[in-house]
Amino acid sequence: MEINQIYVNLPVQDVQKTREFWTKLGFSLNEQFSDDNAICVIMKENHIYTMFLKEEYFKTFTNRPVAKGETTQTLLAIGVNSREEVDGMVKTAVENGGSTYSEPQDHGWMYQSAFSDLNGHQWEVMFADPSQFPAE
């Protein structure tokens, strides 16, 4: 089996503020799947999407309690094309209401930093150069 798309679904308090936050980070939206209850952020065209669903709407998809922003149920990791993009994304996130929750880490072959979005979802942003991975 091969997966051809992934949709990550996350609850949010305010769809419009979430829309503004992610578009300021430079992401496009799929308006076909966006409305007053949800926005569909395109992480990689035709492959990876994040659905930010108003919490009340999110609850219609599950019979379990929704984790609050002060808890961690998942860490989301996204790869970008350079160290500068890592730093730029985290900087833009913080400038637009997000926050950092860890210091940047440089592993030589991989550089990462992290931010929490407006709803407390934690995003690890990384750049990796596999050619620099230490030989065993």
Side-chain angles (χ1 to χ4, degrees), residues 15-51:
V15 172
Q16 185 58 37
K17 285 183 180 177
T18 301
R19 171 188 282 272
E20 292 168 8
F21 181 84
W22 285 96
T23 55
K24 286 179 181 174
L25 284 174
F27 289 92
S28 298
L29 305 178
N30 180 331
E31 294 295 351
Q32 183 178 2
F33 296 117
S34 302
D35 58 23
D36 291 340
N37 285 315
I39 61 163
C40 179
V41 175
I42 302 167
M43 297 288 178
K44 181 166 178 67
E45 186 73 46
N46 298 320
H47 297 288
I48 305 168
Y49 304 89
T50 302
M51 295 295 302

mmCIF file of all heavy atoms in Angstrom, residues 15-51:
data_model
loop_
_atom_site.group_PDB
_atom_site.id
_atom_site.type_symbol
_atom_site.label_atom_id
_atom_site.label_comp_id
_atom_site.label_asym_id
_atom_site.label_seq_id
_atom_site.Cartn_x
_atom_site.Cartn_y
_atom_site.Cartn_z
ATOM 1 N N VAL A 15 -10.963 30.315 13.567
ATOM 2 C CA VAL A 15 -10.581 29.941 12.209
ATOM 3 C C VAL A 15 -9.955 31.123 11.474
ATOM 4 O O VAL A 15 -8.941 30.972 10.787
ATOM 5 C CB VAL A 15 -11.792 29.379 11.431
ATOM 6 C CG1 VAL A 15 -11.467 29.179 9.965
ATOM 7 C CG2 VAL A 15 -12.245 28.062 12.049
ATOM 8 N N GLN A 16 -10.523 32.324 11.606
ATOM 9 C CA GLN A 16 -10.010 33.483 10.876
ATOM 10 C C GLN A 16 -8.603 33.859 11.341
ATOM 11 O O GLN A 16 -7.735 34.125 10.519
ATOM 12 C CB GLN A 16 -10.956 34.686 11.021
ATOM 13 C CG GLN A 16 -10.532 35.890 10.192
ATOM 14 C CD GLN A 16 -10.417 35.593 8.702
ATOM 15 O OE1 GLN A 16 -11.191 34.845 8.136
ATOM 16 N NE2 GLN A 16 -9.415 36.181 8.057
ATOM 17 N N LYS A 17 -8.353 33.872 12.642
ATOM 18 C CA LYS A 17 -7.002 34.177 13.137
ATOM 19 C C LYS A 17 -6.013 33.103 12.698
ATOM 20 O O LYS A 17 -4.861 33.406 12.369
ATOM 21 C CB LYS A 17 -7.005 34.309 14.662
ATOM 22 C CG LYS A 17 -7.615 35.595 15.150
ATOM 23 C CD LYS A 17 -7.527 35.702 16.661
ATOM 24 C CE LYS A 17 -8.155 36.997 17.130
ATOM 25 N NZ LYS A 17 -8.154 37.121 18.593
ATOM 26 N N THR A 18 -6.458 31.870 12.678
ATOM 27 C CA THR A 18 -5.607 30.770 12.219
ATOM 28 C C THR A 18 -5.290 30.937 10.739
ATOM 29 O O THR A 18 -4.151 30.748 10.301
ATOM 30 C CB THR A 18 -6.282 29.412 12.504
ATOM 31 O OG1 THR A 18 -6.518 29.299 13.910
ATOM 32 C CG2 THR A 18 -5.426 28.252 12.035
ATOM 33 N N ARG A 19 -6.272 31.329 9.960
ATOM 34 C CA ARG A 19 -6.074 31.612 8.526
ATOM 35 C C ARG A 19 -4.998 32.678 8.344
ATOM 36 O O ARG A 19 -4.061 32.514 7.556
ATOM 37 C CB ARG A 19 -7.388 32.083 7.911
ATOM 38 C CG ARG A 19 -7.272 32.608 6.487
ATOM 39 C CD ARG A 19 -8.591 33.220 6.036
ATOM 40 N NE ARG A 19 -9.561 32.211 5.673
ATOM 41 C CZ ARG A 19 -9.672 31.689 4.452
ATOM 42 N NH1 ARG A 19 -8.854 32.084 3.488
ATOM 43 N NH2 ARG A 19 -10.578 30.778 4.193
ATOM 44 N N GLU A 20 -5.127 33.778 9.077
ATOM 45 C CA GLU A 20 -4.161 34.871 8.961
ATOM 46 C C GLU A 20 -2.763 34.423 9.368
ATOM 47 O O GLU A 20 -1.776 34.754 8.710
ATOM 48 C CB GLU A 20 -4.620 36.051 9.824
ATOM 49 C CG GLU A 20 -5.887 36.716 9.312
ATOM 50 C CD GLU A 20 -6.505 37.680 10.319
ATOM 51 O OE1 GLU A 20 -5.887 37.956 11.365
ATOM 52 O OE2 GLU A 20 -7.631 38.145 10.048
ATOM 53 N N PHE A 21 -2.655 33.664 10.454
ATOM 54 C CA PHE A 21 -1.376 33.189 10.957
ATOM 55 C C PHE A 21 -0.649 32.370 9.886
ATOM 56 O O PHE A 21 0.515 32.630 9.563
ATOM 57 C CB PHE A 21 -1.595 32.352 12.221
ATOM 58 C CG PHE A 21 -0.344 31.814 12.848
ATOM 59 C CD1 PHE A 21 0.396 32.591 13.717
ATOM 60 C CD2 PHE A 21 0.083 30.520 12.585
ATOM 61 C CE1 PHE A 21 1.550 32.095 14.312
ATOM 62 C CE2 PHE A 21 1.234 30.012 13.172
ATOM 63 C CZ PHE A 21 1.965 30.805 14.042
ATOM 64 N N TRP A 22 -1.318 31.377 9.311
ATOM 65 C CA TRP A 22 -0.653 30.471 8.371
ATOM 66 C C TRP A 22 -0.380 31.123 7.025
ATOM 67 O O TRP A 22 0.625 30.825 6.384
ATOM 68 C CB TRP A 22 -1.440 29.170 8.245
ATOM 69 C CG TRP A 22 -1.213 28.354 9.482
ATOM 70 C CD1 TRP A 22 -2.007 28.299 10.597
ATOM 71 C CD2 TRP A 22 -0.075 27.550 9.773
ATOM 72 N NE1 TRP A 22 -1.428 27.504 11.560
ATOM 73 C CE2 TRP A 22 -0.240 27.034 11.069
ATOM 74 C CE3 TRP A 22 1.065 27.219 9.062
ATOM 75 C CZ2 TRP A 22 0.697 26.201 11.672
ATOM 76 C CZ3 TRP A 22 2.005 26.382 9.654
ATOM 77 C CH2 TRP A 22 1.812 25.883 10.934
ATOM 78 N N THR A 23 -1.228 32.046 6.579
ATOM 79 C CA THR A 23 -0.928 32.735 5.321
ATOM 80 C C THR A 23 0.237 33.697 5.518
ATOM 81 O O THR A 23 1.034 33.877 4.597
ATOM 82 C CB THR A 23 -2.162 33.457 4.748
ATOM 83 O OG1 THR A 23 -2.706 34.348 5.711
ATOM 84 C CG2 THR A 23 -3.216 32.453 4.306
ATOM 85 N N LYS A 24 0.387 34.284 6.701
ATOM 86 C CA LYS A 24 1.553 35.137 6.965
ATOM 87 C C LYS A 24 2.843 34.327 6.981
ATOM 88 O O LYS A 24 3.912 34.861 6.722
ATOM 89 C CB LYS A 24 1.378 35.901 8.279
ATOM 90 C CG LYS A 24 0.392 37.040 8.167
ATOM 91 C CD LYS A 24 0.219 37.769 9.468
ATOM 92 C CE LYS A 24 -0.795 38.888 9.324
ATOM 93 N NZ LYS A 24 -1.100 39.533 10.618
ATOM 94 N N LEU A 25 2.749 33.037 7.284
ATOM 95 C CA LEU A 25 3.921 32.158 7.212
ATOM 96 C C LEU A 25 4.242 31.770 5.767
ATOM 97 O O LEU A 25 5.247 31.122 5.509
ATOM 98 C CB LEU A 25 3.707 30.894 8.047
ATOM 99 C CG LEU A 25 3.836 31.065 9.554
ATOM 100 C CD1 LEU A 25 3.465 29.769 10.265
ATOM 101 C CD2 LEU A 25 5.252 31.476 9.933
ATOM 102 N N GLY A 26 3.379 32.154 4.832
ATOM 103 C CA GLY A 26 3.643 31.905 3.428
ATOM 104 C C GLY A 26 2.934 30.704 2.825
ATOM 105 O O GLY A 26 3.210 30.331 1.684
ATOM 106 N N PHE A 27 2.013 30.108 3.570
ATOM 107 C CA PHE A 27 1.296 28.942 3.061
ATOM 108 C C PHE A 27 0.050 29.355 2.295
ATOM 109 O O PHE A 27 -0.605 30.329 2.630
ATOM 110 C CB PHE A 27 0.909 28.008 4.214
ATOM 111 C CG PHE A 27 2.085 27.301 4.818
ATOM 112 C CD1 PHE A 27 2.758 27.848 5.893
ATOM 113 C CD2 PHE A 27 2.529 26.091 4.292
ATOM 114 C CE1 PHE A 27 3.851 27.213 6.450
ATOM 115 C CE2 PHE A 27 3.623 25.438 4.844
ATOM 116 C CZ PHE A 27 4.291 26.007 5.930
ATOM 117 N N SER A 28 -0.286 28.572 1.291
ATOM 118 C CA SER A 28 -1.521 28.766 0.525
ATOM 119 C C SER A 28 -2.631 27.936 1.151
ATOM 120 O O SER A 28 -2.368 26.995 1.900
ATOM 121 C CB SER A 28 -1.326 28.314 -0.925
ATOM 122 O OG SER A 28 -0.326 29.077 -1.545
ATOM 123 N N LEU A 29 -3.864 28.297 0.812
ATOM 124 C CA LEU A 29 -5.021 27.574 1.307
ATOM 125 C C LEU A 29 -5.761 26.915 0.154
ATOM 126 O O LEU A 29 -5.783 27.444 -0.954
ATOM 127 C CB LEU A 29 -5.979 28.523 2.032
ATOM 128 C CG LEU A 29 -5.408 29.347 3.175
ATOM 129 C CD1 LEU A 29 -6.480 30.264 3.743
ATOM 130 C CD2 LEU A 29 -4.828 28.460 4.254
ATOM 131 N N ASN A 30 -6.373 25.791 0.437
ATOM 132 C CA ASN A 30 -7.308 25.193 -0.505
ATOM 133 C C ASN A 30 -8.680 25.695 -0.093
ATOM 134 O O ASN A 30 -9.264 25.214 0.876
ATOM 135 C CB ASN A 30 -7.240 23.663 -0.443
ATOM 136 C CG ASN A 30 -8.195 23.007 -1.408
ATOM 137 O OD1 ASN A 30 -9.239 23.555 -1.749
ATOM 138 N ND2 ASN A 30 -7.853 21.810 -1.839
ATOM 139 N N GLU A 31 -9.173 26.689 -0.816
ATOM 140 C CA GLU A 31 -10.438 27.326 -0.459
ATOM 141 C C GLU A 31 -11.623 26.389 -0.634
ATOM 142 O O GLU A 31 -12.652 26.567 0.000
ATOM 143 C CB GLU A 31 -10.640 28.613 -1.255
ATOM 144 C CG GLU A 31 -9.630 29.710 -0.931
ATOM 145 C CD GLU A 31 -9.720 30.247 0.498
ATOM 146 O OE1 GLU A 31 -10.671 29.922 1.239
ATOM 147 O OE2 GLU A 31 -8.815 31.003 0.881
ATOM 148 N N GLN A 32 -11.481 25.368 -1.472
ATOM 149 C CA GLN A 32 -12.552 24.397 -1.669
ATOM 150 C C GLN A 32 -12.882 23.679 -0.359
ATOM 151 O O GLN A 32 -14.021 23.314 -0.126
ATOM 152 C CB GLN A 32 -12.147 23.380 -2.739
ATOM 153 C CG GLN A 32 -13.218 22.372 -3.069
ATOM 154 C CD GLN A 32 -12.771 21.416 -4.165
ATOM 155 O OE1 GLN A 32 -11.647 21.479 -4.656
ATOM 156 N NE2 GLN A 32 -13.658 20.523 -4.551
ATOM 157 N N PHE A 33 -11.878 23.493 0.496
ATOM 158 C CA PHE A 33 -12.072 22.810 1.771
ATOM 159 C C PHE A 33 -12.016 23.772 2.950
ATOM 160 O O PHE A 33 -11.774 23.357 4.085
ATOM 161 C CB PHE A 33 -11.026 21.712 1.950
ATOM 162 C CG PHE A 33 -11.141 20.617 0.935
ATOM 163 C CD1 PHE A 33 -10.117 20.386 0.043
ATOM 164 C CD2 PHE A 33 -12.283 19.831 0.855
ATOM 165 C CE1 PHE A 33 -10.215 19.376 -0.901
ATOM 166 C CE2 PHE A 33 -12.395 18.819 -0.094
ATOM 167 C CZ PHE A 33 -11.355 18.596 -0.978
ATOM 168 N N SER A 34 -12.217 25.056 2.703
ATOM 169 C CA SER A 34 -12.165 26.077 3.749
ATOM 170 C C SER A 34 -13.499 26.804 3.835
ATOM 171 O O SER A 34 -14.121 27.085 2.819
ATOM 172 C CB SER A 34 -11.039 27.083 3.458
ATOM 173 O OG SER A 34 -9.795 26.434 3.371
ATOM 174 N N ASP A 35 -13.918 27.088 5.074
ATOM 175 C CA ASP A 35 -15.139 27.852 5.303
ATOM 176 C C ASP A 35 -15.098 28.421 6.714
ATOM 177 O O ASP A 35 -14.019 28.558 7.287
ATOM 178 C CB ASP A 35 -16.387 26.989 5.066
ATOM 179 C CG ASP A 35 -16.449 25.737 5.954
ATOM 180 O OD1 ASP A 35 -15.799 25.708 7.038
ATOM 181 O OD2 ASP A 35 -17.154 24.795 5.585
ATOM 182 N N ASP A 36 -16.246 28.751 7.280
ATOM 183 C CA ASP A 36 -16.270 29.321 8.632
ATOM 184 C C ASP A 36 -15.877 28.313 9.710
ATOM 185 O O ASP A 36 -15.540 28.696 10.819
ATOM 186 C CB ASP A 36 -17.665 29.866 8.950
ATOM 187 C CG ASP A 36 -18.007 31.094 8.121
ATOM 188 O OD1 ASP A 36 -17.076 31.742 7.598
ATOM 189 O OD2 ASP A 36 -19.205 31.397 7.994
ATOM 190 N N ASN A 37 -15.934 27.019 9.395
ATOM 191 C CA ASN A 37 -15.601 25.976 10.365
ATOM 192 C C ASN A 37 -14.202 25.400 10.209
ATOM 193 O O ASN A 37 -13.728 24.689 11.091
ATOM 194 C CB ASN A 37 -16.597 24.806 10.264
ATOM 195 C CG ASN A 37 -17.921 25.154 10.870
ATOM 196 O OD1 ASN A 37 -17.997 25.716 11.953
ATOM 197 N ND2 ASN A 37 -18.988 24.818 10.166
ATOM 198 N N ALA A 38 -13.553 25.676 9.075
ATOM 199 C CA ALA A 38 -12.266 25.037 8.817
ATOM 200 C C ALA A 38 -11.474 25.792 7.760
ATOM 201 O O ALA A 38 -12.043 26.477 6.914
ATOM 202 C CB ALA A 38 -12.500 23.610 8.335
ATOM 203 N N ILE A 39 -10.149 25.620 7.827
ATOM 204 C CA ILE A 39 -9.294 26.031 6.715
ATOM 205 C C ILE A 39 -8.387 24.863 6.382
ATOM 206 O O ILE A 39 -8.005 24.079 7.251
ATOM 207 C CB ILE A 39 -8.460 27.302 6.995
ATOM 208 C CG1 ILE A 39 -7.515 27.111 8.165
ATOM 209 C CG2 ILE A 39 -9.335 28.504 7.164
ATOM 210 C CD1 ILE A 39 -6.412 28.147 8.220
ATOM 211 N N CYS A 40 -8.077 24.766 5.104
ATOM 212 C CA CYS A 40 -7.196 23.715 4.615
ATOM 213 C C CYS A 40 -5.901 24.372 4.159
ATOM 214 O O CYS A 40 -5.863 25.058 3.142
ATOM 215 C CB CYS A 40 -7.862 22.972 3.461
ATOM 216 S SG CYS A 40 -6.840 21.667 2.761
ATOM 217 N N VAL A 41 -4.830 24.168 4.937
ATOM 218 C CA VAL A 41 -3.528 24.731 4.617
ATOM 219 C C VAL A 41 -2.757 23.716 3.774
ATOM 220 O O VAL A 41 -2.643 22.540 4.138
ATOM 221 C CB VAL A 41 -2.748 25.083 5.899
ATOM 222 C CG1 VAL A 41 -1.340 25.560 5.570
ATOM 223 C CG2 VAL A 41 -3.495 26.147 6.697
ATOM 224 N N ILE A 42 -2.244 24.181 2.644
ATOM 225 C CA ILE A 42 -1.488 23.318 1.743
ATOM 226 C C ILE A 42 -0.034 23.294 2.215
ATOM 227 O O ILE A 42 0.673 24.291 2.134
ATOM 228 C CB ILE A 42 -1.573 23.821 0.295
ATOM 229 C CG1 ILE A 42 -3.031 23.889 -0.156
ATOM 230 C CG2 ILE A 42 -0.725 22.944 -0.638
ATOM 231 C CD1 ILE A 42 -3.246 24.652 -1.457
ATOM 232 N N MET A 43 0.393 22.158 2.730
ATOM 233 C CA MET A 43 1.782 21.995 3.168
ATOM 234 C C MET A 43 2.668 21.557 1.997
ATOM 235 O O MET A 43 3.788 22.001 1.865
ATOM 236 C CB MET A 43 1.869 20.969 4.302
ATOM 237 C CG MET A 43 1.121 21.378 5.548
ATOM 238 S SD MET A 43 2.001 22.726 6.366
ATOM 239 C CE MET A 43 0.935 23.063 7.739
ATOM 240 N N LYS A 44 2.154 20.660 1.155
ATOM 241 C CA LYS A 44 2.815 20.254 -0.091
ATOM 242 C C LYS A 44 1.701 19.916 -1.071
ATOM 243 O O LYS A 44 0.945 18.973 -0.855
ATOM 244 C CB LYS A 44 3.736 19.064 0.118
ATOM 245 C CG LYS A 44 4.459 18.645 -1.161
ATOM 246 C CD LYS A 44 5.599 17.716 -0.872
ATOM 247 C CE LYS A 44 6.296 17.238 -2.128
ATOM 248 N NZ LYS A 44 7.000 18.235 -2.865
ATOM 249 N N GLU A 45 1.628 20.709 -2.122
ATOM 250 C CA GLU A 45 0.562 20.578 -3.119
ATOM 251 C C GLU A 45 0.376 19.128 -3.549
ATOM 252 O O GLU A 45 1.349 18.432 -3.833
ATOM 253 C CB GLU A 45 0.882 21.445 -4.347
ATOM 254 C CG GLU A 45 -0.217 21.502 -5.373
ATOM 255 C CD GLU A 45 -1.409 22.331 -4.940
ATOM 256 O OE1 GLU A 45 -1.215 23.448 -4.428
ATOM 257 O OE2 GLU A 45 -2.544 21.855 -5.104
ATOM 258 N N ASN A 46 -0.880 18.712 -3.545
ATOM 259 C CA ASN A 46 -1.289 17.368 -3.959
ATOM 260 C C ASN A 46 -0.869 16.250 -3.016
ATOM 261 O O ASN A 46 -1.061 15.082 -3.335
ATOM 262 C CB ASN A 46 -0.793 17.039 -5.377
ATOM 263 C CG ASN A 46 -1.369 17.972 -6.417
ATOM 264 O OD1 ASN A 46 -2.546 18.328 -6.362
ATOM 265 N ND2 ASN A 46 -0.540 18.403 -7.338
ATOM 266 N N HIS A 47 -0.277 16.581 -1.863
ATOM 267 C CA HIS A 47 0.201 15.520 -0.984
ATOM 268 C C HIS A 47 -0.098 15.719 0.501
ATOM 269 O O HIS A 47 -0.565 14.802 1.166
ATOM 270 C CB HIS A 47 1.715 15.315 -1.150
ATOM 271 C CG HIS A 47 2.113 14.866 -2.508
ATOM 272 N ND1 HIS A 47 1.870 13.605 -2.990
ATOM 273 C CD2 HIS A 47 2.731 15.527 -3.512
ATOM 274 C CE1 HIS A 47 2.317 13.498 -4.219
ATOM 275 N NE2 HIS A 47 2.844 14.650 -4.568
ATOM 276 N N ILE A 48 0.213 16.893 1.044
ATOM 277 C CA ILE A 48 0.123 17.087 2.489
ATOM 278 C C ILE A 48 -0.675 18.348 2.803
ATOM 279 O O ILE A 48 -0.365 19.429 2.303
ATOM 280 C CB ILE A 48 1.520 17.203 3.133
ATOM 281 C CG1 ILE A 48 2.381 15.983 2.779
ATOM 282 C CG2 ILE A 48 1.401 17.348 4.655
ATOM 283 C CD1 ILE A 48 3.851 16.143 3.120
ATOM 284 N N TYR A 49 -1.692 18.172 3.675
ATOM 285 C CA TYR A 49 -2.575 19.272 4.048
ATOM 286 C C TYR A 49 -2.797 19.252 5.554
ATOM 287 O O TYR A 49 -2.832 18.188 6.167
ATOM 288 C CB TYR A 49 -3.942 19.121 3.360
ATOM 289 C CG TYR A 49 -3.833 19.024 1.860
ATOM 290 C CD1 TYR A 49 -3.662 17.791 1.237
ATOM 291 C CD2 TYR A 49 -3.886 20.165 1.074
ATOM 292 C CE1 TYR A 49 -3.546 17.701 -0.145
ATOM 293 C CE2 TYR A 49 -3.777 20.081 -0.304
ATOM 294 C CZ TYR A 49 -3.603 18.841 -0.906
ATOM 295 O OH TYR A 49 -3.483 18.755 -2.266
ATOM 296 N N THR A 50 -2.982 20.420 6.127
ATOM 297 C CA THR A 50 -3.409 20.505 7.519
ATOM 298 C C THR A 50 -4.773 21.157 7.550
ATOM 299 O O THR A 50 -4.963 22.260 7.026
ATOM 300 C CB THR A 50 -2.419 21.307 8.383
ATOM 301 O OG1 THR A 50 -1.136 20.687 8.302
ATOM 302 C CG2 THR A 50 -2.868 21.335 9.832
ATOM 303 N N MET A 51 -5.713 20.449 8.132
ATOM 304 C CA MET A 51 -7.069 20.961 8.311
ATOM 305 C C MET A 51 -7.168 21.518 9.720
ATOM 306 O O MET A 51 -7.015 20.773 10.701
ATOM 307 C CB MET A 51 -8.100 19.839 8.136
ATOM 308 C CG MET A 51 -8.173 19.247 6.742
ATOM 309 S SD MET A 51 -8.743 20.397 5.473
ATOM 310 C CE MET A 51 -10.351 20.876 6.098
#
